[in-house]
Amino acid sequence: MLNGKKILLIIGGGIAAFKCHDLIRGLREAGASVTPVLTEAGKEFVTPLSISVLSGSKVYVDLFDLEDETQMGHIELSRNSDLIVIVPATADLLAKMASGLANDLASTLLLATDTEVLAAPAMNVRMWEHLATRRNIQLLKKDGIGFIGPVEGSMACGEFGFGRMAEPEQIITAIKKKLSLGKLKGKHIVVTSGPTHEQIDPVRFIGNLSSGTQGNQIAVALLNEGARVTLISGPTHIELPLGAEIKRVESANEMFKEVKKSLPADAFVMVAAVADWKTKEFSKSKIKKNSDKELVLKLIKNPDILEYVSKLKKDRPKLVVGFAAETDDLIANATEKLNRKKCDWIVANDIRPETNIMGGTENAVILISNAGVEKWERMDKSEVALKLVGLMAKKLNLS
Ligand code: CTP
């Protein structure tokens, strides 16, 4: 996937530098070659020897290394790659870049280069939120520098918030996207995932057990194939993929609105477990437990988003994929949905509680289309995503 691509990897001075080991390994496994540049501060966190062993390359450290100037000068080094990746991009490195300083090898390369740059920031949350950093990021984005992360989480300094560096696999996905590689480059794909919540009163809602995992995995697999992904997610607790355009929604109606706004697209994957019903009237005050033995809620139907998109006359995505969650007569019910909603494929899954599929990490699906019924063995949801995205890429590149 990254075969023959040359990555110049600048390793900054932060605790997240240790993730470079896995990143280098992953890049080389994907077929890229890695030329590492280690800042003075970076040397405090990882050793030139470990980086050299993992990358199979000389590690560049010093700007005034004359031997290097005869072999490869810093100007050549700065232009001899397909992409420059900064991991971790510390507040100091970003500030140097924003003001055009060139007082060490890394900053000089970044000033001299005509190659695209991708930075993976990592720093303490206060430093990330500081106005100076915000200003620098804004300037650098305007200059065309790409960013991946940081993400929210607990940090080595003991604080919690935004500032933790993206994980190596997320950085590799961003690299592929930046290099516009993959079978789906140039394609826009809209994915919905998670449940929807239909508010009953200020404290209660109708919801379901969907975790959003399968939709998320599909979004990641699409990003890995270079697609531009819009992910419209109902309320979930999982981390949504970096690199996708994320739209968070609560109700089916909000999801419907966002889907319409996100079109046109080359493909549409409706994974979300949309609530079919919502209350006819939302109660502005909390419904009280009165003396009655029963409470009757009047429900009305939500719009069917999949059916709407499948039946679009204008700008219908070339490929519309729906999911079918069934507890009985899986194939018959799912086939009926395919025919009624007029989507191209239905990914059917058996969501009886004993299958542990809804909310679990594995899925056993049956792919139904006009071409027939294909039963897949039970596998991890990420493998289902890979297989589905592979088929989608084939289909989209044929039509
Ligand atoms: N779907 C949708 N809008 C709805 C309900 C469902 O777009 N209001 C989509 C789902 O995202 C899924 C497909 O339709 O891709 C089938 O959803 P499923 O819940 O299996 O079926 P329903 O159409 O809701 O029918 P039923 O509840 O009767 O099984």
Side-chain angles (χ1 to χ4, degrees), residues 140-152:
L140 292 168
K141 279 190 177 165
K142 237 196 259 158
D143 292 349
I145 305 296
F147 284 91
I148 173 80
V151 295
E152 197 178 25

Side-chain angles (χ1 to χ4, degrees), residues 272-283:
V274 184
D276 291 327
W277 305 93
K278 64 174 178 180
T279 49
K280 189 164 182 211
E281 267 160 41
F282 166 72
S283 167

Side-chain angles (χ1 to χ4, degrees), residues 254-273:
E254 282 172 29
M255 186 171 274
F256 192 27
K257 257 190 228 152
E258 285 302 338
V259 165
K260 285 196 265 188
K261 270 203 256 164
S262 304
L263 296 174
D266 295 281
F268 177 64
V269 193
M270 186 76 208
V271 197

Side-chain angles (χ1 to χ4, degrees), residues 302-317:
N302 267 324
D304 194 302
I305 305 170
L306 178 64
E307 189 164 347
Y308 168 86
V309 176
S310 299
K311 292 183 178 170
L312 276 175
K313 294 260 170 336
K314 200 171 158 259
D315 288 338
R316 181 196 191 271

Side-chain angles (χ1 to χ4, degrees), residues 325-328 330 349-358:
E326 307 291 347
T327 51
D328 310 285
L330 182 58
N349 40 45
D350 179 347
I351 50 137
R352 279 172 302 152
E354 58 268 35
T355 63
N356 196 24
I357 282 175
M358 196 119 178

Side-chain angles (χ1 to χ4, degrees), residues 200 206 277-281 296-301:
I200 298 170
I206 300 171
W277 305 93
K278 64 174 178 180
T279 49
K280 189 164 182 211
E281 267 160 41
V296 178
L297 284 176
K298 244 202 181 136
L299 302 178
I300 55 169
K301 254 194 185 156

Side-chain angles (χ1 to χ4, degrees), residues 144-369:
I145 305 296
F147 284 91
I148 173 80
V151 295
E152 197 178 25
S154 49
M155 281 167 278
C157 56
E159 288 191 49
F160 184 91
F162 276 94
R164 213 176 76 179
M165 195 171 84
E167 295 303 319
E169 62 272 23
Q170 294 173 316
I171 298 172
I172 293 175
T173 300
I175 290 172
K176 289 176 187 165
K177 193 166 171 229
K178 192 86 183 154
L179 290 172
S180 290
L181 295 170
K183 298 188 197 101
L184 289 169
K185 64 178 179 229
K187 306 275 188 222
H188 175 216
I189 301 185
V190 177
V191 181
T192 67
S193 80
T196 66
H197 286 179
E198 312 299 324
Q199 214 67 40
I200 298 170
D201 69 10
V203 293
R204 303 179 177 98
F205 60 82
I206 300 171
N208 60 65
L209 292 176
S210 167
S211 64
T213 308
Q214 186 64 83
N216 227 36
Q217 301 283 12
I218 291 172
V220 170
L222 289 166
L223 286 167
N224 270 325
E225 285 298 350
R228 175 163 79 83
V229 178
T230 305
L231 176 65
I232 304 168
S233 172
T236 62
H237 298 294
I238 57 174
E239 201 182 297
L240 299 181
L242 289 171
E245 191 183 337
I246 308 278
K247 299 188 173 174
R248 286 183 184 271
V249 297
E250 292 281 327
S251 65
N253 267 326
E254 282 172 29
M255 186 171 274
F256 192 27
K257 257 190 228 152
E258 285 302 338
V259 165
K260 285 196 265 188
K261 270 203 256 164
S262 304
L263 296 174
D266 295 281
F268 177 64
V269 193
M270 186 76 208
V271 197
V274 184
D276 291 327
W277 305 93
K278 64 174 178 180
T279 49
K280 189 164 182 211
E281 267 160 41
F282 166 72
S283 167
K284 282 197 184 126
S285 326
K286 185 182 171 211
I287 299 172
K288 298 303 286 178
K289 178 172 54 176
N290 51 29
S291 53
D292 295 345
K293 286 242 170 71
E294 288 182 348
L295 170 71
V296 178
L297 284 176
K298 244 202 181 136
L299 302 178
I300 55 169
K301 254 194 185 156
N302 267 324
D304 194 302
I305 305 170
L306 178 64
E307 189 164 347
Y308 168 86
V309 176
S310 299
K311 292 183 178 170
L312 276 175
K313 294 260 170 336
K314 200 171 158 259
D315 288 338
R316 181 196 191 271
K318 276 188 211 115
L319 181 61
V320 178
V321 183
F323 272 64
E326 307 291 347
T327 51
D328 310 285
D329 300 327
L330 182 58
I331 296 179
N333 279 330
T335 308
E336 187 276 323
K337 277 177 196 165
L338 176 86
N339 295 332
R340 176 165 41 93
K341 303 197 188 200
K342 301 275 181 266
C343 52
D344 302 301
W345 298 350
I346 279 270
V347 180
N349 40 45
D350 179 347
I351 50 137
R352 279 172 302 152
E354 58 268 35
T355 63
N356 196 24
I357 282 175
M358 196 119 178
T361 56
E362 290 186 343
N363 207 349
V365 311
I366 299 178
L367 181 68
I368 305 176
S369 69

